[in-house]
PDB file of all heavy atoms in Angstrom:
ATOM      1  N   ALA Q 106      -8.725 -22.967  10.346  1.00  0.00           N
ATOM      2  CA  ALA Q 106      -8.118 -24.024   9.460  1.00  0.00           C
ATOM      3  C   ALA Q 106      -7.460 -25.099  10.368  1.00  0.00           C
ATOM      4  O   ALA Q 106      -7.601 -26.247  10.029  1.00  0.00           O
ATOM      5  CB  ALA Q 106      -7.132 -23.349   8.491  1.00  0.00           C
ATOM      6  N   MET Q 107      -6.757 -24.619  11.371  1.00  0.00           N
ATOM      7  CA  MET Q 107      -6.146 -25.640  12.292  1.00  0.00           C
ATOM      8  C   MET Q 107      -7.248 -26.566  12.914  1.00  0.00           C
ATOM      9  O   MET Q 107      -6.988 -27.693  13.079  1.00  0.00           O
ATOM     10  CB  MET Q 107      -5.427 -24.891  13.408  1.00  0.00           C
ATOM     11  CG  MET Q 107      -4.153 -24.170  12.998  1.00  0.00           C
ATOM     12  SD  MET Q 107      -3.381 -23.353  14.383  1.00  0.00           S
ATOM     13  CE  MET Q 107      -1.900 -22.666  13.589  1.00  0.00           C
ATOM     14  N   THR Q 108      -8.376 -25.939  13.295  1.00  0.00           N
ATOM     15  CA  THR Q 108      -9.467 -26.681  13.842  1.00  0.00           C
ATOM     16  C   THR Q 108      -9.922 -27.763  12.863  1.00  0.00           C
ATOM     17  O   THR Q 108     -10.130 -28.978  13.213  1.00  0.00           O
ATOM     18  CB  THR Q 108     -10.658 -25.785  14.141  1.00  0.00           C
ATOM     19  OG1 THR Q 108     -10.216 -24.842  15.121  1.00  0.00           O
ATOM     20  CG2 THR Q 108     -11.813 -26.587  14.756  1.00  0.00           C
ATOM     21  N   PHE Q 109     -10.072 -27.471  11.656  1.00  0.00           N
ATOM     22  CA  PHE Q 109     -10.563 -28.444  10.658  1.00  0.00           C
ATOM     23  C   PHE Q 109      -9.528 -29.571  10.411  1.00  0.00           C
ATOM     24  O   PHE Q 109      -9.876 -30.786  10.299  1.00  0.00           O
ATOM     25  CB  PHE Q 109     -10.852 -27.702   9.247  1.00  0.00           C
ATOM     26  CG  PHE Q 109     -12.104 -26.919   9.266  1.00  0.00           C
ATOM     27  CD1 PHE Q 109     -12.007 -25.596   9.176  1.00  0.00           C
ATOM     28  CD2 PHE Q 109     -13.329 -27.578   9.331  1.00  0.00           C
ATOM     29  CE1 PHE Q 109     -13.235 -24.828   9.163  1.00  0.00           C
ATOM     30  CE2 PHE Q 109     -14.505 -26.886   9.291  1.00  0.00           C
ATOM     31  CZ  PHE Q 109     -14.479 -25.488   9.176  1.00  0.00           C
ATOM     32  N   LEU Q 110      -8.251 -29.185  10.390  1.00  0.00           N
ATOM     33  CA  LEU Q 110      -7.266 -30.185  10.278  1.00  0.00           C
ATOM     34  C   LEU Q 110      -7.164 -31.120  11.529  1.00  0.00           C
ATOM     35  O   LEU Q 110      -6.929 -32.310  11.409  1.00  0.00           O
ATOM     36  CB  LEU Q 110      -5.848 -29.523  10.047  1.00  0.00           C
ATOM     37  CG  LEU Q 110      -5.614 -28.780   8.760  1.00  0.00           C
ATOM     38  CD1 LEU Q 110      -4.333 -27.988   8.756  1.00  0.00           C
ATOM     39  CD2 LEU Q 110      -5.635 -29.675   7.581  1.00  0.00           C
ATOM     40  N   GLY Q 111      -7.399 -30.491  12.705  1.00  0.00           N
ATOM     41  CA  GLY Q 111      -7.463 -31.325  13.885  1.00  0.00           C
ATOM     42  C   GLY Q 111      -8.610 -32.261  13.877  1.00  0.00           C
ATOM     43  O   GLY Q 111      -8.520 -33.404  14.389  1.00  0.00           O
ATOM     44  N   MET Q 112      -9.760 -31.826  13.347  1.00  0.00           N
ATOM     45  CA  MET Q 112     -10.972 -32.693  13.258  1.00  0.00           C
ATOM     46  C   MET Q 112     -10.714 -33.807  12.305  1.00  0.00           C
ATOM     47  O   MET Q 112     -11.359 -34.880  12.402  1.00  0.00           O
ATOM     48  CB  MET Q 112     -12.144 -31.788  12.823  1.00  0.00           C
ATOM     49  CG  MET Q 112     -12.588 -30.824  13.847  1.00  0.00           C
ATOM     50  SD  MET Q 112     -13.799 -29.614  13.180  1.00  0.00           S
ATOM     51  CE  MET Q 112     -15.201 -30.742  12.865  1.00  0.00           C
ATOM     52  N   ALA Q 113      -9.792 -33.569  11.348  1.00  0.00           N
ATOM     53  CA  ALA Q 113      -9.446 -34.669  10.351  1.00  0.00           C
ATOM     54  C   ALA Q 113      -8.471 -35.682  10.983  1.00  0.00           C
ATOM     55  O   ALA Q 113      -8.063 -36.629  10.319  1.00  0.00           O
ATOM     56  CB  ALA Q 113      -8.866 -34.099   9.092  1.00  0.00           C
ATOM     57  N   GLY Q 114      -8.144 -35.435  12.225  1.00  0.00           N
ATOM     58  CA  GLY Q 114      -7.225 -36.388  12.888  1.00  0.00           C
ATOM     59  C   GLY Q 114      -5.695 -36.055  12.922  1.00  0.00           C
ATOM     60  O   GLY Q 114      -4.914 -36.796  13.370  1.00  0.00           O
ATOM     61  N   PHE Q 115      -5.418 -34.881  12.427  1.00  0.00           N
ATOM     62  CA  PHE Q 115      -4.025 -34.422  12.388  1.00  0.00           C
ATOM     63  C   PHE Q 115      -3.500 -34.068  13.784  1.00  0.00           C
ATOM     64  O   PHE Q 115      -4.217 -33.460  14.613  1.00  0.00           O
ATOM     65  CB  PHE Q 115      -3.889 -33.205  11.449  1.00  0.00           C
ATOM     66  CG  PHE Q 115      -3.831 -33.583   9.991  1.00  0.00           C
ATOM     67  CD1 PHE Q 115      -4.547 -34.570   9.472  1.00  0.00           C
ATOM     68  CD2 PHE Q 115      -3.047 -32.801   9.130  1.00  0.00           C
ATOM     69  CE1 PHE Q 115      -4.581 -34.870   8.164  1.00  0.00           C
ATOM     70  CE2 PHE Q 115      -3.060 -33.166   7.787  1.00  0.00           C
ATOM     71  CZ  PHE Q 115      -3.789 -34.147   7.273  1.00  0.00           C
ATOM     72  N   GLU Q 116      -2.327 -34.476  14.024  1.00  0.00           N
ATOM     73  CA  GLU Q 116      -1.661 -34.131  15.279  1.00  0.00           C
ATOM     74  C   GLU Q 116      -1.063 -32.706  15.176  1.00  0.00           C
ATOM     75  O   GLU Q 116      -1.015 -32.122  14.064  1.00  0.00           O
ATOM     76  CB  GLU Q 116      -0.582 -35.128  15.616  1.00  0.00           C
ATOM     77  CG  GLU Q 116      -1.020 -36.585  15.762  1.00  0.00           C
ATOM     78  CD  GLU Q 116      -1.902 -36.773  16.991  1.00  0.00           C
ATOM     79  OE1 GLU Q 116      -1.856 -35.987  17.914  1.00  0.00           O
ATOM     80  OE2 GLU Q 116      -2.729 -37.750  16.985  1.00  0.00           O
ATOM     81  N   THR Q 117      -0.631 -32.205  16.266  1.00  0.00           N
ATOM     82  CA  THR Q 117      -0.098 -30.774  16.317  1.00  0.00           C
ATOM     83  C   THR Q 117       1.018 -30.573  15.290  1.00  0.00           C
ATOM     84  O   THR Q 117       0.975 -29.579  14.542  1.00  0.00           O
ATOM     85  CB  THR Q 117       0.480 -30.490  17.703  1.00  0.00           C
ATOM     86  OG1 THR Q 117      -0.574 -30.612  18.688  1.00  0.00           O
ATOM     87  CG2 THR Q 117       0.980 -29.037  17.734  1.00  0.00           C
ATOM     88  N   GLU Q 118       1.961 -31.487  15.234  1.00  0.00           N
ATOM     89  CA  GLU Q 118       3.027 -31.337  14.220  1.00  0.00           C
ATOM     90  C   GLU Q 118       2.515 -31.400  12.858  1.00  0.00           C
ATOM     91  O   GLU Q 118       3.062 -30.611  11.938  1.00  0.00           O
ATOM     92  CB  GLU Q 118       4.102 -32.402  14.511  1.00  0.00           C
ATOM     93  CG  GLU Q 118       5.370 -32.231  13.617  1.00  0.00           C
ATOM     94  CD  GLU Q 118       6.460 -33.245  13.929  1.00  0.00           C
ATOM     95  OE1 GLU Q 118       6.306 -34.042  14.901  1.00  0.00           O
ATOM     96  OE2 GLU Q 118       7.397 -33.277  13.133  1.00  0.00           O
ATOM     97  N   GLN Q 119       1.611 -32.282  12.564  1.00  0.00           N
ATOM     98  CA  GLN Q 119       1.041 -32.326  11.208  1.00  0.00           C
ATOM     99  C   GLN Q 119       0.321 -31.133  10.821  1.00  0.00           C
ATOM    100  O   GLN Q 119       0.286 -30.682   9.717  1.00  0.00           O
ATOM    101  CB  GLN Q 119       0.079 -33.554  11.176  1.00  0.00           C
ATOM    102  CG  GLN Q 119       0.783 -34.953  11.254  1.00  0.00           C
ATOM    103  CD  GLN Q 119      -0.238 -36.068  11.317  1.00  0.00           C
ATOM    104  OE1 GLN Q 119      -1.167 -36.074  12.074  1.00  0.00           O
ATOM    105  NE2 GLN Q 119       0.020 -37.064  10.410  1.00  0.00           N
ATOM    106  N   ILE Q 120      -0.442 -30.539  11.755  1.00  0.00           N
ATOM    107  CA  ILE Q 120      -1.160 -29.284  11.505  1.00  0.00           C
ATOM    108  C   ILE Q 120      -0.155 -28.143  11.177  1.00  0.00           C
ATOM    109  O   ILE Q 120      -0.376 -27.396  10.169  1.00  0.00           O
ATOM    110  CB  ILE Q 120      -1.979 -28.897  12.785  1.00  0.00           C
ATOM    111  CG1 ILE Q 120      -3.108 -29.882  13.006  1.00  0.00           C
ATOM    112  CG2 ILE Q 120      -2.555 -27.445  12.578  1.00  0.00           C
ATOM    113  CD1 ILE Q 120      -3.919 -29.607  14.291  1.00  0.00           C
ATOM    114  N   MET Q 121       0.940 -28.070  11.910  1.00  0.00           N
ATOM    115  CA  MET Q 121       1.894 -27.010  11.619  1.00  0.00           C
ATOM    116  C   MET Q 121       2.538 -27.221  10.285  1.00  0.00           C
ATOM    117  O   MET Q 121       2.886 -26.257   9.604  1.00  0.00           O
ATOM    118  CB  MET Q 121       2.979 -26.996  12.743  1.00  0.00           C
ATOM    119  CG  MET Q 121       2.383 -26.665  14.080  1.00  0.00           C
ATOM    120  SD  MET Q 121       3.616 -26.445  15.421  1.00  0.00           S
ATOM    121  CE  MET Q 121       4.395 -24.930  14.946  1.00  0.00           C
ATOM    122  N   ASP Q 122       2.706 -28.488   9.955  1.00  0.00           N
ATOM    123  CA  ASP Q 122       3.415 -28.773   8.582  1.00  0.00           C
ATOM    124  C   ASP Q 122       2.445 -28.556   7.440  1.00  0.00           C
ATOM    125  O   ASP Q 122       2.921 -28.211   6.345  1.00  0.00           O
ATOM    126  CB  ASP Q 122       3.831 -30.286   8.549  1.00  0.00           C
ATOM    127  CG  ASP Q 122       5.034 -30.585   9.495  1.00  0.00           C
ATOM    128  OD1 ASP Q 122       5.742 -29.665   9.763  1.00  0.00           O
ATOM    129  OD2 ASP Q 122       5.161 -31.753   9.885  1.00  0.00           O
ATOM    130  N   SER Q 123       1.162 -28.711   7.641  1.00  0.00           N
ATOM    131  CA  SER Q 123       0.249 -28.612   6.491  1.00  0.00           C
ATOM    132  C   SER Q 123      -0.522 -27.339   6.440  1.00  0.00           C
ATOM    133  O   SER Q 123      -1.224 -27.097   5.451  1.00  0.00           O
ATOM    134  CB  SER Q 123      -0.716 -29.772   6.607  1.00  0.00           C
ATOM    135  OG  SER Q 123      -1.462 -29.773   7.778  1.00  0.00           O
ATOM    136  N   LEU Q 124      -0.425 -26.432   7.445  1.00  0.00           N
ATOM    137  CA  LEU Q 124      -1.235 -25.237   7.409  1.00  0.00           C
ATOM    138  C   LEU Q 124      -0.966 -24.349   6.241  1.00  0.00           C
ATOM    139  O   LEU Q 124      -1.842 -23.840   5.563  1.00  0.00           O
ATOM    140  CB  LEU Q 124      -1.041 -24.460   8.765  1.00  0.00           C
ATOM    141  CG  LEU Q 124      -1.882 -23.173   8.847  1.00  0.00           C
ATOM    142  CD1 LEU Q 124      -3.393 -23.493   8.840  1.00  0.00           C
ATOM    143  CD2 LEU Q 124      -1.525 -22.419  10.174  1.00  0.00           C
ATOM    144  N   ALA Q 125       0.347 -24.037   5.949  1.00  0.00           N
ATOM    145  CA  ALA Q 125       0.700 -23.126   4.882  1.00  0.00           C
ATOM    146  C   ALA Q 125       0.211 -23.635   3.595  1.00  0.00           C
ATOM    147  O   ALA Q 125      -0.338 -22.875   2.775  1.00  0.00           O
ATOM    148  CB  ALA Q 125       2.261 -23.004   4.760  1.00  0.00           C
ATOM    149  N   GLY Q 126       0.268 -25.005   3.351  1.00  0.00           N
ATOM    150  CA  GLY Q 126      -0.214 -25.547   2.075  1.00  0.00           C
ATOM    151  C   GLY Q 126      -1.684 -25.394   1.986  1.00  0.00           C
ATOM    152  O   GLY Q 126      -2.247 -25.164   0.893  1.00  0.00           O
ATOM    153  N   THR Q 127      -2.469 -25.587   3.114  1.00  0.00           N
ATOM    154  CA  THR Q 127      -3.806 -25.499   3.126  1.00  0.00           C
ATOM    155  C   THR Q 127      -4.298 -24.060   2.755  1.00  0.00           C
ATOM    156  O   THR Q 127      -5.228 -23.835   2.021  1.00  0.00           O
ATOM    157  CB  THR Q 127      -4.422 -25.874   4.464  1.00  0.00           C
ATOM    158  OG1 THR Q 127      -4.055 -27.184   4.719  1.00  0.00           O
ATOM    159  CG2 THR Q 127      -5.907 -25.757   4.582  1.00  0.00           C
ATOM    160  N   LEU Q 128      -3.579 -23.096   3.316  1.00  0.00           N
ATOM    161  CA  LEU Q 128      -3.896 -21.730   2.972  1.00  0.00           C
ATOM    162  C   LEU Q 128      -3.665 -21.396   1.559  1.00  0.00           C
ATOM    163  O   LEU Q 128      -4.379 -20.666   0.858  1.00  0.00           O
ATOM    164  CB  LEU Q 128      -3.068 -20.734   3.902  1.00  0.00           C
ATOM    165  CG  LEU Q 128      -3.278 -20.850   5.428  1.00  0.00           C
ATOM    166  CD1 LEU Q 128      -2.446 -19.785   6.160  1.00  0.00           C
ATOM    167  CD2 LEU Q 128      -4.718 -20.697   5.798  1.00  0.00           C
TER     168      LEU Q 128
END
Side-chain angles (χ1 to χ4, degrees):
M107 290 179 175
T108 298
F109 285 111
L110 292 171
M112 292 169 64
F115 279 35
E116 302 293 337
T117 301
E118 186 177 353
Q119 292 176 309
I120 291 174
M121 297 186 71
D122 289 337
S123 59
L124 181 61
T127 299
L128 298 185

